[in-house]
Amino acid sequence: MKIPFLDLQRITESYQPELQEAAQRVIEKGWFILGEEVERFEAEFAQYCGTTEAIGVANGLEALRLIFEGYKLLGRLAVGDEVLVPANTYIAGILAIQHAGLVPVLCEPELETYNIDARRLESEMTPRTKALLAVHLYGRLADTQKLEAFCQQHDLLFIEDAAQAHGAFVNDLSKRAGSYGHAAGFSFYPGKNLGALGDAGAVTTSDLELATVIRKLRNYGSEQKYSCEINGFNSRLDEIQAAFLRVKLRRLDADNQQRQAIADRFLNEISNPNLILPLRSSTNNVWHLFVIRVENREHFMNYLKVNGIGTLIHYPIAPHQQKAMPEFAHCNLPITERIHREVVSIPLHQLLSDEEVAYIIETLNRYEQ
Ligand SMILES: *Cc1c(COP(=O)(O)O)cnc(C)c1O
């Protein structure tokens, strides 16, 4: 059997003919930037997440950056302010902080959840600390209750990077990832749980002032054509991508439930003592990735490859060890480094068949170190 890490062709095919119809609708209309599709998607996505506002933007990196830029314009942040961020996140979050002229402070995650460790935040605080960027890594919600309390106590902005956690929630269906903080950034990169057919992103927030500023910022600082009120960017969501996203949003919950059912099977049936499986969870994890830890990762990945199973590493190099980030080279982050040394992701998406899931389980259980 051959199981690629991610079968985007099969996933995209499963939304036909609705995607074709959406494309046709936009083509016939002949209006491609900031129109009805974006407006409707924004309303539908805000309602889904449980915020009053959603603003479509070009991608996930820009979504995060525009949140920081927006709060600078509102006087809540200033150049040089520090932002707490998990050290093991995807590099976009760290870049977004830097692009806005702010200073990322890399914090260790919990080894068990891979999310930022609320108990370690106090010691990272300085008088310049003004915000926390929590990342719901691999699809699992960070401890939003603890983090929110911490932010309240220290008067910090609580920002979520929800690029891997579309639809995750705890208990209350009407409040999902993207509605826990002051604002959140989403990516709709094709491989995400909610993915466009190209680049796309969004900001969600219930802060109307922030939403108003970001709506201007994404479009050259103007609300009215050619009237520039603030110094803005070009970071817009295309009509055609919004139309595709509207199709896929309708099935997001069903897709996530399918991912959860497969993750449950993995957790119940993979029983190899050489493999450290992710923590069990409920609706608070939408399983963007199923990440295992293993000591001799190369050996394990090669074994799976020989057996036809694709894997990927999320992520092979820690941000503070990237060549592009020499300013963090001195950081001492043993948990982060261990995670980057040991993690490997196995295939998990909503269209894996029962046979494929069984084959993955059986192959993993046969692995010998
Ligand atoms: C994908 C991702 C991003 C960036 O999204 P782009 O749309 O590729 O810019 C940011 N943060 C996390 C955690 C991501 O997984």
Side-chain angles (χ1 to χ4, degrees):
M1 202 178 283
K2 209 153 177 62
I3 306 175
F5 178 73
L6 181 63
D7 197 341
L8 261 184
Q9 228 177 341
R10 190 152 133 202
I11 291 171
T12 308
E13 180 60 36
S14 76
Y15 290 99
Q16 293 282 32
E18 291 99 318
L19 291 176
Q20 206 82 45
E21 289 161 8
Q24 195 58 29
R25 193 168 70 228
V26 174
I27 291 167
E28 278 171 13
K29 194 153 194 214
W31 186 275
F32 303 114
I33 304 278
L34 296 186
E36 204 175 313
E37 297 290 341
V38 168
E39 263 173 39
R40 290 202 178 165
F41 172 69
E42 288 178 344
E44 289 160 8
F45 194 61
Q47 187 182 21
Y48 177 81
C49 294
T51 57
T52 59
E53 308 293 325
I55 306 105
V57 298
N59 55 59
L61 170 65
E62 290 282 292
L64 294 169
R65 190 220 176 129
L66 291 180
I67 292 170
F68 294 121
E69 296 287 358
Y71 276 126
K72 273 163 59 188
L73 284 166
L74 295 176
R76 292 289 304 269
L77 292 173
V79 168
D81 283 350
E82 294 175 4
V83 182
L84 305 173
V85 59
N88 61 319
T89 187
Y90 180 58
I91 197 127
I94 296 166
L95 286 174
I97 295 167
Q98 290 183 327
H99 290 170
L102 309 171
V103 180
V105 176
L106 307 185
C107 304
E108 286 270 65
E110 301 171 328
L111 188 59
E112 296 73 28
T113 64
Y114 305 116
N115 280 330
I116 198 163
D117 189 341
R119 293 162 305 183
R120 291 168 177 266
L121 295 180
E122 194 83 48
S123 62
E124 304 291 348
M125 294 285 295
T126 78
R128 297 233 64 164
T129 312
K130 294 290 155 53
L132 164 74
L133 176 62
V135 185
H136 308 307
L137 202 66
Y138 306 149
R140 184 191 173 88
L141 282 183
D143 191 337
T144 51
Q145 248 181 353
K146 263 195 211 141
L147 295 175
E148 191 187 350
F150 179 84
C151 288
Q152 252 171 14
Q153 188 191 339
H154 296 276
D155 198 23
L156 306 181
L157 289 170
F158 177 23
I159 318 289
E160 302 169 71
D161 178 344
Q164 301 192 355
H166 318 72
F169 67 95
V170 254
N171 305 325
D172 180 1
L173 244 175
S174 66
K175 271 188 73 64
R176 295 168 182 274
S179 71
Y180 295 104
H182 292 95
F186 282 89
S187 165
F188 307 118
Y189 184 80
K192 309 282 175 167
N193 290 39
L194 178 59
L197 309 191
D199 275 313
V203 174
T204 53
T205 183
S206 292
D207 178 342
L208 182 60
E209 241 188 327
L210 179 72
T212 305
V213 171
I214 291 178
R215 276 181 210 289
K216 292 177 190 167
L217 276 178
R218 73 170 169 187
N219 189 27
Y220 290 107
S222 65
E223 215 169 6
Q224 228 174 345
K225 208 166 170 118
Y226 306 135
S227 157
C228 295
E229 296 155 49
I230 50 182
N231 202 318
F233 304 87
N234 176 353
S235 179
R236 299 176 297 224
L237 174 63
D238 291 338
E239 283 285 283
I240 199 155
Q241 296 302 344
F244 292 145
L245 288 165
R246 291 182 64 208
V247 168
K248 295 180 84 174
L249 179 60
R250 286 185 226 127
R251 248 174 55 195
L252 179 57
D253 277 345
D255 289 345
N256 281 342
Q257 279 160 20
Q258 192 55 29
R259 284 175 183 268
Q260 283 158 348
I262 294 169
D264 279 345
R265 275 199 70 187
F266 283 167
L267 289 170
N268 289 332
E269 297 176 45
I270 298 172
S271 57
N272 189 328
N274 295 312
L275 307 176
I276 300 172
L277 301 182
L279 266 195
R280 271 178 193 285
S281 52
S282 58
T283 54
N284 67 332
N285 195 336
V286 290
W287 299 99
H288 174 57
L289 296 166
F290 194 91
V291 177
I292 288 174
R293 285 205 328 277
V294 58
E295 241 168 66
N296 191 347
R297 180 167 66 184
E298 289 311 306
H299 182 255
F300 176 64
M301 289 176 75
N302 195 50
Y303 163 81
L304 291 185
K305 188 175 168 194
V306 167
N307 284 282
I309 298 175
T311 55
L312 276 181
I313 299 172
H314 298 90
Y315 299 91
I317 305 172
H320 71 284
Q321 297 179 320
Q322 295 280 3
K323 214 155 115 191
M325 305 219 150
E327 64 273 38
F328 298 117
H330 68 278
C331 289
N332 176 30
L333 298 160
I335 298 173
T336 298
E337 286 171 26
R338 177 166 178 198
I339 288 171
H340 285 80
R341 203 164 53 236
E342 297 183 352
V343 289
V344 51
S345 310
I346 63 170
L348 196 176
H349 60 77
Q350 65 269 24
L351 293 184
L352 283 181
S353 68
D354 287 348
E355 293 73 39
E356 288 171 320
V357 172
Y359 178 73
I360 292 170
I361 292 166
E362 175 208 325
T363 308
L364 263 66
N365 283 338
R366 265 195 289 117
Y367 173 66
E368 286 170 23
Q369 206 144 27

